[in-house]
Amino acid sequence: MISLANKTVLITGGSRGIGRAAAILMAKAGADIVFSYYRNEQAAEEVVAEIGKAGHRGISVAGNIAEESHCRELVDTACREFGKLDVLVNNAGIWTYAPIDEMKEDVYRETIDINLSGLIYVTRYAVQQMKKQGQGRIINLSSTAGQRGEAFHSHYAATKGAIISLTKSWATELGPSIQVNCVAPGWVDTDMSSGPLADPEQYKQIVSLIPLRRVATAEEIAGPILFLASDLSNFITGEILNVNGGAVLVG
């Protein structure tokens, strides 16, 4: 029922975790995929192969999402190879530990540059293309941390809160032709959160605060991303879709 036939999708951070799951699922729904990755070429090649198995083209582009030139290259690649850009999924991000009284400037700057500046850069170029087409969809990845904050990760939480505000701002700015929505996951079983989740005591504490008593799989976040990219969400914009097992209940 959900179809992305003849759609071109650009995903930042598509070689692992949520980005990988979204790339494969959206290819299975009919889309051609362009995705960025930073260093792991083998992982990127595996995603391209999985997209190919779904009968569609996958193109990986290596680079640092914090660099504006790379963000432009991503959009240019999608337009050059497929002639258009229908959906942008702003997924790339990092999560690092930093108590505020010990936070080093390079740690803070890295998080801001990757999680926020890169998202703004790639969205700028994607919107320029979407305006030419007269249509497009943008799906941002935030987090429960952007809604309630997160001790010892305040720099991360700040970027994710900003993404929520950007989603609402862009939805009103870019409508009616471009829809902008956001998916806000809680704990997800990916490389980024493997440290705490691998510790039995920490895992027990984490799931005790989740009504569904488990963490999400990457595929369970990819599903809502696919929904927001599809025609089933035609009358939704500026929305924050919480996918957290009930851990954070907000209106």
Side-chain angles (χ1 to χ4, degrees), residues 21-77:
I24 295 170
L25 184 62
M26 296 172 97
K28 289 179 178 179
D32 292 311
I33 311 292
V34 176
F35 67 91
S36 71
Y37 72 99
Y38 186 34
R39 288 178 176 161
N40 195 333
E41 184 176 359
Q42 180 178 345
E45 290 176 351
E46 290 172 359
V47 176
V48 169
E50 290 297 320
I51 294 169
K53 290 178 184 178
H56 294 280
R57 288 183 64 197
I59 298 174
S60 63
V61 182
N64 185 349
I65 196 67
E67 296 177 359
E68 186 173 3
S69 59
H70 174 59
C71 296
R72 178 184 291 212
E73 180 186 9
L74 289 171
V75 175
D76 287 348
T77 299

Side-chain angles (χ1 to χ4, degrees), residues 7-26:
K7 300 293 186 183
T8 301
V9 176
L10 170 57
I11 302 174
T12 64
S15 64
R16 64 184 185 128
I18 294 170
R20 180 185 190 277
I24 295 170
L25 184 62
M26 296 172 97

